[in-house]
């Protein structure tokens, strides 16, 4: 039988309900979707494909899902590090953004970010930044799956002057992309402290109507809690609950400050959580209680945050930090075993974004969003347990090939949809301009 | 003037007392030593070399020093993860070691480890394992700098049957390698709980005589403290102090359990500390108070631990984890800035090993132990601050070239002193044997 692509792999880790690890299996792709996973000897007999490759030392995994980032901020990578949060934000990041962010900045920064993500096996990202239409256009052209955030904040920025205009422009972006096979939208009210009640209520209503998620920084810092208690007489989660925002549509990012009752009511609401461990550490914001959230049945996904805070978009690094930190913080070396962390970086991300039926695992009928990781390198030998190698030893540079909806967007480490020379040249131009200023 | 090697680099970060970052500088090497660091335009006029290379997008840093590992354990990488410490040790690691460790295991495992270390910019490692003579031989042949541990434990192993024999064999290894330009030795009593008073006292005397360090796991776990209180009526550090072991010769590894007075008396003794953050997290052993130790004037170096616990020998990963974790644990985003972490991974390691005059920084007269990191990749662009990129964004695969004592042991990612095919083939043989068992 003829298929579009046939990948023979040393291991396939589908991240399915049974957490299977398939040795010497093959993946058949037709029309952008997974047709079958079967033992390689059977696959060779049953299928043929123009695009047929042998990866005997590789593991195939679902494409990684970066469930929280600000892609365009890659152009500010490392501009200000090792600083207290408020100095970092008020004296460096926000002034730089006010001075430099425009459509070209978002185009060039998003391309740099997408190149980095594709080269590290990420096939889908959940973004929050100005000019989401530009990010959407760049993502679609690069062939990467994206949910772009329809940003809303109380203060005027280059993207909009009022909450009315933020919503208006956001809906226009949503309408423009509503039928795209890769790009989706989410409302992205920045944070409880930067968006007031009235726009939050409108977002809740509209998110229900449009059936899109609400992507928001929630309980990121201790200051955020103090400020909310001062200004609203209640903690942010309490306020969001009263505004009707706690629901399966809410993608709460960071969540480092959680009291027991908050954790329980969040779990009861069916809300999503995105764990962003390296950003939380680097900015000293606290620790999201991942193990307890998972035990309470919450769907916890993983994100890198923007490259100005992390400073990379490396989901392999984020997986490792997630696993290591959970053990340390819980004083339990059995906390968050490798297969669970791989689930967080794949299927949990898809579910958080409402696309768990489309991507996040290698299962028949789903979109062929596939990452191939070379485990034959010195750094990951020997292989007693490929999942352990992926989480604890592999580096992102061991990703050699990536398919999204069946399209091979990374081929033997080469980007097929982006021009790295042009991206690097534009990044250098921005660096020169920003550095001179 | 003729030199052996001349490297023109986008940045040189010498890790000197002034923490300078030199833009567009060159490094001249003659007779294995650094002759001069100077601006590239001057270097081109002044020097010529058969081995002259241009690395305009690279940063040159001192070779990284992995101050605590068990190299040969790379053959057990990922054999047992996500398990409670005692199950991991008693049911997996120790049985595997009893069954498999012999001279060939140590040879093949050390070669695999050294290949991994060279490919990640590590030019020196401080080892603790059985058959230190074999590790020494493999290291010398590979051209990597090593301090091999003359291991001592109370119970019999394949290496020795009694503390008498451990010491005897250790001294023989020391005598054999005492004049080697790359290989040194240290006494390596395993830990306070596994070595009794009498051999520790003898080690102290002999370490003074031979002028070599004492490399020891100290205060790694809470259990170790409890056990010592039960068996000796005192905490391990107190016992070591009474035995006279607290001195600048002591390289105390882990140190996750430290009371204030212990920290102070350790600082007063001039003892060395090796921070092993990823191993401590993964085995849930606690956190070494690095910031406070540094503030107290203690020389804190970095190590990866063995690949069975970490599961890699990646000093870039260890630097990142060190910086991130210090900020999180101290609730201070300014804790352990990137330049300080780079110092820990280089000159602090050299000082801990007593070879701070020979290596650990790029300064005139020192051995040319140099690592070149390509910052031109998408993952580390733009470059506002190269030290920040090294610690927070670069991956070990961005190391392209490594020199040790002037010899280019990694050249454009190719190992020049080791045969990767043979190493991988032997690792596969071991995996097959061990996995079958």
């Amino acid at each position: 039988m003829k298929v579009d692509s046939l990948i023979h792999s040393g291991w396939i880790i589908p991240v399915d309900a049974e957490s299977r690890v398939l040795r010497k299996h093959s993946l058949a792709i037709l029309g952008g979707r997974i047709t079958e996973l079967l033992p390689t000897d059977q696959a060779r007999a049953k299928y043929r494909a123009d695009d047929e490759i042998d990866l005997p030392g590789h593991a195939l995994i679902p494409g990684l899902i970066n469930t929280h980032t600000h892609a365009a901020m890659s152009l500010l990578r490392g501009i200000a590090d090792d600083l207290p949060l408020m100095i970092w934000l008020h004296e460096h990041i926000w002034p730089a953004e006010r001075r430099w962010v425009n459509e070209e900045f978002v185009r060039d920064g998003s391309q740099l970010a997408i190149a980095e993500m594709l080269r590290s096996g990420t096939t889908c990202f959940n973004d929050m930044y100005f000019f989401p239409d530009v990010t959407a256009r760049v993502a679609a052209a690069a062939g990467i799956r994206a949910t772009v955030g329809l940003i809303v904040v109380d203060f005027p920025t280059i993207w909009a002057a009022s909450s009315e205009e933020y919503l208006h422009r956001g809906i226009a972006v949503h309408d423009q992309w509503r039928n795209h096979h890769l790009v989706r939208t989410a409302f992205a009210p920045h944070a409880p402290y930067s968006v007031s009640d009235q726009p939050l209520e409108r977002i809740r209503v509209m998110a229900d109507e449009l059936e899109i998620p609400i992507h928001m920084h929630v309980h990121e810092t201790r200051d955020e809690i103090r400020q909310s208690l001062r200004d609203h007489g209640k903690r942010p989660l309490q306020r969001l609950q009263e505004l009707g925002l706690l629901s399966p549509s809410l993608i709460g990012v960071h969540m480092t400050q959680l009291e027991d009752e908050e954790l329980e009511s969040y779990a009861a609401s069916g809300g999503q959580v995105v764990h962003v461990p390296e950003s939380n550490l680097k900015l000293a914001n606290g620790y999201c209680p991942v193990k307890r959230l998972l035990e309470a049945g919450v769907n916890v996904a993983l994100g890198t945050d923007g490259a100005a805070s992390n400073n990379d978009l490396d989901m392999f690094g984020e997986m490792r930090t997630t696993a290591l930190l959970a053990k340390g913080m819980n004083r339990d070396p059995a906390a968050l075993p490798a297969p669970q962390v791989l689930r967080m970086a794949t299927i949990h991300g898809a579910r958080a974004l409402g696309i768990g039926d489309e991507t996040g695992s290698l299962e028949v009928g789903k979109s062929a969003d596939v990452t191939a990781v070379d485990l034959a390198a010195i750094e990951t030998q020997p292989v007693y347990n490929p999942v352990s190698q992926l989480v604890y030893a592999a580096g992102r540079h061991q990703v050699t090939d990536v398919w999204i909806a069946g399209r091979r967007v990374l081929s033997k480490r080469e980007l097929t949809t982006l021009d790295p020379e042009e991206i690097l040249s534009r990044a250098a131009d921005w660096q020169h301009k920003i550095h001179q200023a």
Side-chain angles (χ1 to χ4, degrees), chain A:
Chain A
M1 194 189 300
K2 191 84 190 289
V3 287
D4 295 332
S5 303
L6 190 56
I7 315 166
H8 309 299
S9 187
W11 294 269
I12 298 182
I13 299 154
V15 188
D16 54 14
E18 299 83 34
S19 290
R20 289 183 300 163
V21 173
L22 307 171
R23 184 78 174 105
K24 292 183 183 169
H25 267 60
S26 302
L27 188 79
I29 301 172
L30 183 63
R33 300 206 167 263
I34 296 167
T35 320
E36 193 171 1
L37 290 90
L38 69 174
T40 292
D41 49 4
Q42 294 174 27
R44 289 195 200 277
K46 181 169 179 182
Y47 292 109
R48 60 202 169 74
D50 293 333
D51 179 23
E52 180 171 349
I53 58 169
D54 278 299
L55 302 172
H58 280 61
L60 296 188
I61 58 173
L64 301 171
I65 299 182
N66 185 346
T67 315
H68 177 67
T69 191
H70 313 281
M73 292 185 83
S74 291
L75 287 177
L76 303 176
R77 186 202 312 276
I79 200 171
D81 289 313
D82 303 317
L83 294 169
L85 181 65
M86 286 299 127
I87 293 176
W88 178 75
L89 209 53
H90 289 275
E91 296 181 21
H92 298 272
I93 297 300
W94 285 352
E97 287 188 330
R98 274 195 297 271
R99 169 127 193 214
W100 299 111
V101 171
N102 57 26
E103 291 197 44
E104 288 66 41
F105 180 98
V106 173
R107 178 196 65 199
D108 298 344
S110 297
Q111 278 193 344
L112 179 65
I114 290 168
E116 181 181 353
M117 288 193 274
L118 293 178
R119 281 161 55 95
S120 55
T122 294
T123 57
C124 176
F125 67 104
N126 184 34
D127 201 64
M128 182 193 284
Y129 211 60
F130 310 104
F131 301 103
D133 54 331
V134 175
T135 307
R137 204 168 61 231
V138 169
I144 192 170
R145 201 177 288 281
T147 296
V148 297
L150 313 175
I151 197 164
V152 178
V153 277
D154 278 349
F155 48 88
T157 63
I158 190 171
W159 174 239
S162 65
S163 62
E164 200 60 39
E165 193 186 354
Y166 280 108
L167 289 168
H168 184 75
R169 293 200 74 173
I171 305 236
V173 174
H174 172 80
D175 288 345
Q176 189 188 344
W177 291 94
R178 64 188 310 162
N179 293 315
H180 196 273
H181 74 298
L182 293 175
V183 174
R184 291 169 173 253
T185 58
F187 280 108
H190 175 263
Y193 59 86
S194 53
V195 187
S196 46
D197 289 0
Q198 195 256 345
L200 284 177
E201 283 176 331
R202 290 200 51 201
I203 285 169
R204 174 180 56 78
V205 173
M206 288 191 299
D208 283 350
E209 278 173 14
L210 302 178
E211 295 184 332
I212 64 175
I214 300 173
H215 174 197
M216 191 176 198
H217 301 105
V218 180
H219 283 214
E220 180 174 5
T221 68
R222 289 169 287 271
D223 272 346
E224 171 186 341
I225 310 287
R226 277 195 285 269
Q227 191 181 321
S228 179
L229 286 168
R230 185 192 67 203
D231 296 347
H232 301 280
K234 58 191 84 157
R235 290 164 63 91
L237 269 177
Q238 176 67 27
R239 186 172 145 243
L240 294 181
Q241 186 159 37
E242 290 171 14
L243 291 167
L245 265 84
L246 293 206
S247 84
S249 303
L250 182 63
I251 303 172
V253 181
H254 294 293
M255 300 285 262
T256 68
Q257 315 295 316
L258 278 182
E259 294 181 344
D260 288 349
E261 317 82 73
E262 286 173 333
L263 194 152
E264 281 161 31
S265 60
Y266 200 87
S269 79
Q272 319 292 328
V273 168
V274 185
H275 181 42
V276 190
E278 294 189 2
S279 167
N280 292 340
L281 283 172
K282 187 152 178 285
L283 295 166
N285 285 330
Y287 177 67
C288 172
V290 178
K291 182 165 180 271
R292 286 167 55 219
L293 284 163
L294 290 169
E295 284 165 357
V298 176
N299 182 60
V300 185
L302 287 189
T304 61
D305 215 337
S309 33
N310 178 330
N311 302 345
D312 59 36
L313 307 175
D314 176 5
M315 288 290 288
F316 281 88
E318 220 67 44
M319 283 199 286
R320 183 156 323 144
T321 302
T322 296
L324 296 180
L325 197 58
K327 298 172 200 313
M329 297 304 285
N330 291 287
R331 294 190 170 193
D332 174 9
L336 264 66
Q340 194 167 21
V341 174
L342 184 60
R343 300 184 76 79
M344 292 170 67
T346 53
I347 186 67
H348 287 204
R351 287 184 190 142
L353 298 172
I355 51 177
D357 293 336
E358 180 69 6
T359 187
S361 62
L362 302 179
E363 293 180 280
V364 173
K366 279 197 173 181
S367 177
D369 297 355
V370 187
T371 287
V373 189
D374 182 6
L375 298 181
I378 279 169
E379 286 72 16
T380 39
Q381 285 293 312
V383 182
Y384 297 103
N385 176 344
V387 183
S388 194
Q389 299 302 72
L390 287 166
V391 171
Y392 295 120
R396 55 174 162 174
H397 58 288
Q398 292 177 254
V399 170
T400 61
D401 296 85
V402 174
W403 292 259
I404 300 176
R407 183 181 185 189
R408 196 164 169 184
V409 290
L410 188 77
S411 176
K412 297 178 184 170
R413 298 281 311 142
E414 296 298 320
L415 296 163
T416 66
T417 58
L418 289 167
D419 178 349
E421 293 311 313
E422 192 187 325
I423 290 172
L424 287 169
S425 149
R426 289 194 191 155
D429 290 346
W430 281 105
Q431 176 186 342
H432 191 69
K433 270 200 284 191
I434 294 172
H435 213 52
Q436 295 276 306

